[in-house]
């Protein structure tokens, strides 16, 4: 089945509605055309989530203002805003007699307590009064987290590359405000559906070909359904947002990585297996993961490390990463040491020898990430 853009748009809206998303046409939203947030829904979520804390109207306004006034270039703004969305932040109370509150803009523990919405054909006024109309925007609690752009598969001179250019060139230039909040973007012509970071080259955009790890990989029109079922199920989307959007601590290359589905399944399977086999009740064997060359194993390890470090289940774990090659150790060491904020632990150390590792761990109760190679251990011995 081939879609023109309008038919594809309506079909994806219907699929998302079946997943519990509320649909609203952009023209029905009461707002200034330059406004990219659904402010009433963000306020509704905050009032409901923190009802016992009795947030004042001005405190809620200050939260929204803090999101809006993140400045600098688009990459740094996106990184800062997503840190607030993904990891939360502390709100200093107006009444200093009240205890400060840790604010989460998304309820990750209880997905059904969030407001999921798909908005199509929303007119957005940007620079020089330029109007742009994304085909679809996924909102969670009034935050525009995903932008979708569709092209028809029935015209030979139109491809999803045109959708990519529309998003990353014209929209990024004319309506950058909406991309401050962006998790990832989606491009689709019905027969081909891919997603990626706004800052990702086209060749790295990727299809989500499975709903569950043991499923058969799907292509063509079927990969549209696996993307909706496998990536946009509400709990799945929140899981990706929470642990699978990677920014290095500092970079001059606008690096932002959104997980691929094999990385998502591998990290989650390993995480659950480690929990199941933990001593004293388990045998201590957390499992084995085989990945092909250039499949993104280093990012899989980063995602897994973050999940373990951020989990209250593991409390304060110690993670030791051992490689079998010096060049791989150098690569991983640089990547992990530059990812302390993402991992959630400032104690990320590259170890030069067995004696140094012993010295680091001796007398230390737990916590931290340590990287070394088998070769270094052998040479030291």
């Amino acid at each position: 089945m081939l879609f023109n853009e309008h038919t594809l748009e309506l079909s994806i809206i219907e699929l998302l509605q079946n997943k519990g998303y509320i649909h609203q046409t952009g023209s029905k939203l009461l707002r200034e055309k330059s406004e990219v947030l659904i402010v009433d829904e963000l306020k509704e979520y905050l009032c409901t989530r923190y009802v016992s804390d009795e947030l004042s109207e001005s405190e809620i306004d200050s939260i929204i203002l803090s999101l809006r006034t993140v400045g600098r270039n688009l990459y740094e703004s996106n990184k800062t805003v997503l840190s607030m969305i993904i990891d939360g932040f502390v709100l200093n109370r107006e009444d200093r007699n009240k205890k400060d509150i840790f604010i989460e803009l998304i309820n990750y523990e209880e997905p059904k307590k969030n407001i999921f919405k798909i908005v199509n054909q929303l007119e957005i006024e940007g620079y020089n009064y330029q109007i742009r109309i994304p085909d679809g925007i996924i909102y969670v609690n009034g935050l525009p987290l995903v932008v979708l752009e569709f092209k028809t598969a029935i015209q030979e001179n139109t491809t999803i590359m045109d959708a990519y250019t529309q998003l990353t060139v014209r929209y990024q230039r004319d309506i950058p405000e909406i991309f401050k909040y962006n998790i990832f973007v989606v491009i689709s012509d019905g027969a081909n559906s891919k997603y990626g970071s706004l800052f990702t080259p086209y060749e790295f955009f990727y299809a989500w070909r499975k709903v569950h790890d043991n499923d058969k990989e799907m292509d063509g029109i079927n990969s549209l359904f696996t993307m909706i079922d496998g990536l946009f199920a509400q709990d799945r989307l929140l899981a990706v947002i929470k642990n699978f959007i990677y920014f290095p601590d500092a970079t001059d290359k606008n690096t932002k990585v959104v997980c691929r589905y094999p990385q998502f399944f591998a990290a989650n399977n390993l995480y659950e297996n480690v929990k199941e086999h933990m001593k004293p009740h388990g045998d201590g064997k957390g499992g084995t993961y085989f990945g092909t060359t250039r499949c993104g194993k280093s990012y899989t390890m980063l995602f897994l490390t973050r999940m373990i470090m951020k989990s209250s289940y593991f409390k304060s774990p110690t993670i030791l990463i051992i490689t079998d090659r010096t060049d791989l150790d150098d690569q991983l060491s640089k990547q992990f040491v530059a990812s302390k904020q993402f991992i959630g632990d400032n104690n990320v150390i590259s170890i030069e020898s067995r004696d140094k590792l012993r010295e680091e761990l001796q007398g230390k109760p737990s916590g931290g990430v340590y990287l070394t190679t088998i070769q270094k251990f052998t040479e030291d011995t």
Side-chain angles (χ1 to χ4, degrees), residues 255-280:
T255 300
K256 177 184 178 183
V257 176
V258 183
C259 73
R260 297 178 172 187
Y261 69 88
Q263 295 166 331
F264 178 84
F265 290 131
N268 275 287
N269 288 342
L270 286 165
Y271 176 84
E272 293 300 330
N273 209 56
V274 169
K275 283 177 63 176
E276 182 180 346
H277 288 267
M278 273 184 65
K279 293 181 177 180

Side-chain angles (χ1 to χ4, degrees), residues 281-344:
H281 304 293
D283 56 15
K285 297 179 180 180
T288 303
Y289 167 60
F290 292 95
T292 58
T293 301
R294 301 188 67 82
C295 72
K297 292 186 292 294
S298 61
Y299 286 118
T300 300
M301 285 188 282
L302 263 176
F303 296 137
L304 176 61
T305 300
R306 174 184 166 88
M307 292 175 70
I308 292 173
M309 282 294 183
K310 291 283 186 177
S311 171
S312 58
Y313 183 88
F314 292 103
K315 305 192 186 320
S316 180
T318 299
I319 298 175
L320 176 60
I321 299 172
I322 302 175
T323 66
D324 62 355
R325 302 196 314 271
T326 300
D327 60 337
L328 183 57
D329 176 65
D330 291 342
Q331 172 194 329
L332 282 175
S333 294
K334 290 177 182 178
Q335 187 171 7
F336 271 71
V337 170
S339 307
K340 295 176 182 177
Q341 293 176 19
F342 177 77
I343 291 170

Side-chain angles (χ1 to χ4, degrees), residues 19 84 88 114 168 179 209 232 238 257 285:
K19 292 293 176 188
M84 298 171 70
N114 299 286
T168 61
F179 295 111
R209 294 191 174 94
F232 286 102
L238 296 195
V257 176
K285 297 179 180 180

Side-chain angles (χ1 to χ4, degrees), residues 81-219:
V81 170
L82 289 196
S83 175
M84 298 171 70
I85 292 173
I86 294 170
D87 290 321
F89 56 94
V90 175
L91 174 69
N92 300 126
R93 303 305 301 267
E94 290 178 335
D95 183 347
R96 299 312 300 160
N97 293 318
K98 292 183 178 180
K99 186 178 179 180
D100 293 340
I101 311 173
F102 183 73
I103 297 291
E104 288 187 311
L105 297 171
I106 295 175
N107 189 332
Y108 293 99
E109 300 301 319
E110 301 173 281
K112 293 186 181 299
K113 292 190 176 180
N114 299 286
I115 307 167
F116 290 84
K117 179 170 282 190
I118 170 66
V119 177
N120 67 316
Q121 299 299 316
L122 181 70
E123 291 190 3
I124 301 173
E125 183 181 285
Y127 286 147
N128 299 319
Y129 305 102
Q130 180 73 49
I131 298 292
R132 293 294 182 186
I133 310 174
D135 290 326
I137 305 170
I138 299 289
Y139 281 88
V140 180
N141 302 332
L143 301 166
L145 301 186
V146 181
V147 179
L148 306 96
E149 191 66 22
F150 311 129
K151 294 297 176 186
T152 180
I154 60 178
Q155 294 181 6
E156 291 185 4
N157 61 344
T158 302
T159 68
I160 60 169
M161 179 63 182
D162 297 299
Y164 172 84
T165 302
Q166 182 90 331
L167 286 164
T168 61
V169 177
R170 290 186 282 275
Y171 288 0
Q172 184 176 177
R173 178 193 63 211
D174 296 332
I175 52 171
E177 182 69 15
I178 196 167
F179 295 111
K180 280 170 47 175
Y181 308 90
N182 186 253
I183 299 295
F184 56 82
V185 296
V186 172
I187 53 178
S188 178
D189 64 5
N192 302 281
S193 301
K194 299 181 178 182
Y195 68 100
S197 155
L198 184 73
F199 311 103
T200 300
Y202 174 74
E203 58 267 27
F204 292 109
F205 269 57
Y206 206 72
W208 192 288
R209 294 191 174 94
K210 292 183 179 183
V211 178
H212 304 291
D213 188 25
N214 294 325
D215 292 348
K216 179 182 177 182
E217 290 186 339
M218 296 295 178
D219 289 307

